[in-house]
Amino acid sequence: MPQSPKSHAELAARVAELEAERAMVLRLAQTDSLTGLVNRGAFSSGLCERMDAARETGAKVALFVIDLDRFKHLNDSLGHHAGDLLLAELGRRLRDDAAPGELIARLGGDEFALVSDDPDPAARAERLVSALGQQHFIYGRAVSPGGSVGVAVFPDDAQDAADLQHFADMALYRAKSGGGRRWSRFDARLREESERRRTLEDELRRAIPAGEIEPWFQPIIDSMTGRMVGVEVLARWNHPEKGLLAPAAFVPMAEELGLIRVIDEAVFEAACARTAPWVAEGLIESVACNVSPRDLLDPAFSRKLIGRLAKTALPATALTVEITETFLLQDLALSRRHIERLAAKGVNVALDDFGTGYSNLRALMHLPIQTVKLDRSLIDDVGRDSRVSKLVASLLHAARSLGVRIVAEGVETEGQALFLRSAGCERMQGYFFARPMPADAMEAILREQNVPAPRLAAVG
Ligand code: C2E
Ligand code: CA
Ligand code: CA
């Protein structure tokens, strides 16, 4: 049966309704619900449109990327709801401050962006920083998170939107690492750095399958006997032209590029293959491996690691996985699950870089961690700064009463070694004993060590 014909007016009204609905859905899809600003998707297309228009007219487009300096801290101390209020308030401020025609977006988290045709980007950036530095009242409390700004300008700095964003991000990073509450503009120095990084990135992608990244080893010493009882695996990149590169030269970039997992797996596999015979022969008891904090956020991390370990000849009880506290605190429940899963297989978990962050021994008591590595920065001042010496001594005391083993990292002098031993530190690692070295050298030294290491003998 044909439907009764609607009047022309009825149809027109329905079409208008649908149009309005469509517009609203479109607006919602482009809006960040917390701040009412445009969201990342709409921002990207908005930026491209403005760049296209500027290409025609010869105008300039300045991109400002904005990041709050202390947002995470505020969020942690005041709670997520307060954090949301602050972001909403900030969105309002930025919008009120904007000139007509400027595009303001929230890109996610505490990251905002502004696209402007202001002919004086420096002055505009200055105004942004001062707007971000103002006080806000959240639950009646004055907070002042402060923010940093990175600037890049089309067409002076970059020709396409992806480069422009990348360059503004680099400038932002420089502003933040300069202490925050400031702005920075992309310049020749950053351009050089970006080119260097691009080359390095290509080389890194090639280096992994080429096997240029290999495990080196640094011994861990038993303080009482002076014997090397374990090794820590440290990645090295045997670069064909640049020579040997330490992790600082490639691990952060590998993390950014999502390559760290492949590197960690390759290093882990090679390290297990080399060290399994050492453990089997009784040359060492344990092998410590580093894992990337980001990797640990993968819920399947511990299961995968156990799976990979099972394919090697290294017994689970000989493996220590070193994790950093940044990860631990990010997701305590997940940390616990990983640590428990590993512990159930006999894998030991060590907390790396202890003393650099926020975690305290009390937090540790709630996690089944058996080993803590005292960071080099603390050891550096041991014996030099009496307050640090006291702190380390009391940490060692507390750890003993909790049944946690402490490994002191970065022991460089005999004085430090003596102090740590007398304070009851069971294990030490550092240049005083040995620097990291390739597998063959490590193996040779381990085979010779039936007599106590001569240098440590001097300690006693
Ligand atoms: P880390 O785990 O804290 O490793 C200890 C670092 O201190 C190593 O630096 C080691 O060479 C250095 N070190 C040891 N003894 C001394 C000393 O007495 N004095 C001084 N000044 N330094 C000492 P390295 O090898 O450059 O590694 C740096 C960081 O890179 C490591 O810190 C670890 O977090 C990371 N890393 C190393 N290998 C890997 C890896 O295979 N995967 C991942 N994800 N990260 C790795
Ligand atoms: Ca480590
Ligand atoms: Ca460490």
Side-chain angles (χ1 to χ4, degrees), residues 49-66:
E49 276 164 25
R50 277 152 206 253
M51 286 173 68
D52 286 342
R55 248 179 221 114
E56 301 287 314
T57 60
K60 296 192 179 198
V61 177
L63 169 64
F64 303 78
V65 289
I66 301 162

Side-chain angles (χ1 to χ4, degrees), residues 232 290 322 324 352-354 373-376 409:
E232 177 174 3
N290 294 287
E322 297 194 354
T324 57
D352 209 347
D353 303 340
F354 185 79
K373 298 194 81 171
L374 268 195
D375 192 65
R376 185 167 80 225
E409 284 189 315

Side-chain angles (χ1 to χ4, degrees), residues 302-361:
S302 39
R303 209 161 19 82
K304 287 183 191 157
L305 186 79
I306 290 163
R308 278 192 281 121
L309 178 64
K311 292 198 193 115
T312 75
L314 190 74
T317 49
L319 179 68
T320 298
V321 175
E322 297 194 354
I323 64 182
T324 57
E325 59 186 349
T326 13
F327 149 73
L328 271 187
L329 299 178
Q330 248 176 56
D331 190 338
L332 270 173
L334 184 59
S335 312
R336 167 176 288 279
R337 230 179 322 135
H338 284 322
I339 297 171
E340 280 172 353
R341 229 188 252 153
L342 290 167
K345 293 285 172 197
V347 176
N348 180 39
V349 174
L351 181 60
D352 209 347
D353 303 340
F354 185 79
T356 50
Y358 299 106
S359 66
N360 49 44
L361 282 175

Side-chain angles (χ1 to χ4, degrees), residues 248-398:
F250 63 93
V251 164
M253 168 176 265
E255 285 183 333
E256 231 171 81
L257 298 172
L259 294 173
I260 190 65
R261 186 168 300 181
V262 206
I263 292 183
D264 282 353
E265 284 175 15
V267 170
F268 179 80
E269 219 169 89
C272 288
R274 275 315 293 251
T275 56
W278 304 348
V279 172
E281 286 178 48
L283 296 176
I284 50 167
E285 294 162 12
S286 64
V287 178
C289 279
N290 294 287
V291 284
S292 159
R294 199 167 305 184
D295 227 20
L296 290 157
L297 290 171
D298 174 3
F301 159 75
S302 39
R303 209 161 19 82
K304 287 183 191 157
L305 186 79
I306 290 163
R308 278 192 281 121
L309 178 64
K311 292 198 193 115
T312 75
L314 190 74
T317 49
L319 179 68
T320 298
V321 175
E322 297 194 354
I323 64 182
T324 57
E325 59 186 349
T326 13
F327 149 73
L328 271 187
L329 299 178
Q330 248 176 56
D331 190 338
L332 270 173
L334 184 59
S335 312
R336 167 176 288 279
R337 230 179 322 135
H338 284 322
I339 297 171
E340 280 172 353
R341 229 188 252 153
L342 290 167
K345 293 285 172 197
V347 176
N348 180 39
V349 174
L351 181 60
D352 209 347
D353 303 340
F354 185 79
T356 50
Y358 299 106
S359 66
N360 49 44
L361 282 175
R362 189 141 30 101
L364 280 181
M365 273 166 54
H366 298 291
L367 290 169
I369 283 182
Q370 302 110 327
T371 307
V372 167
K373 298 194 81 171
L374 268 195
D375 192 65
R376 185 167 80 225
S377 55
L378 282 174
I379 307 305
D380 260 355
D381 288 332
V382 149
R384 243 197 333 228
D385 180 333
S386 66
R387 280 176 319 171
V388 175
S389 305
K390 275 193 196 128
L391 172 71
V392 168
S394 63
L395 275 176
L396 284 164
H397 184 76

